[in-house]
Amino acid sequence: MTNLAMLMFFAASLQDPGTGPANRDLMRDQAGGPTPVTDLFLLPPKIPDCRTQEAVDQALKAKRNMEAQQCDPDRFVRAHGN
């Protein structure tokens, strides 16, 4: 039974050889270029944790004003119970 399943799998892979994730670089669109990878995403860069209470205050003020934060105040606040 397993031999028959392996033969069927092999025959199916010969009919359409470029559809698996291992052959993603072989897939081409109609313009002739490689197809874009759509199942991956980039993680945003992590900002460093705040080290002092003054840095936490500045970061919270920037967060309230919807501005860019220089550091992440969450871990400092959780550690010091503020």
Side-chain angles (χ1 to χ4, degrees), residues 2 4 7 12-13 17 22-23 30-32 35 38 45 50 52 78-79 81:
T2 57
L4 181 61
L7 285 174
S13 67
N23 296 326
Q30 292 181 353
T35 56
T38 58
C50 294
T52 63
R78 276 186 276 148

Side-chain angles (χ1 to χ4, degrees), residues 55-70:
V56 169
D57 294 338
Q58 290 176 352
L60 291 175
K61 182 180 175 186
K63 193 174 190 178
R64 278 193 299 268
N65 295 335
M66 305 292 272
E67 297 172 354
Q69 301 172 24
Q70 297 298 319

Side-chain angles (χ1 to χ4, degrees), residues 35-59:
T35 56
V37 178
T38 58
D39 58 345
L40 300 176
F41 60 93
L42 298 175
L43 296 175
K46 184 182 181 311
I47 58 174
D49 297 329
C50 294
R51 301 280 181 192
T52 63
Q53 186 63 42
E54 293 83 24
V56 169
D57 294 338
Q58 290 176 352

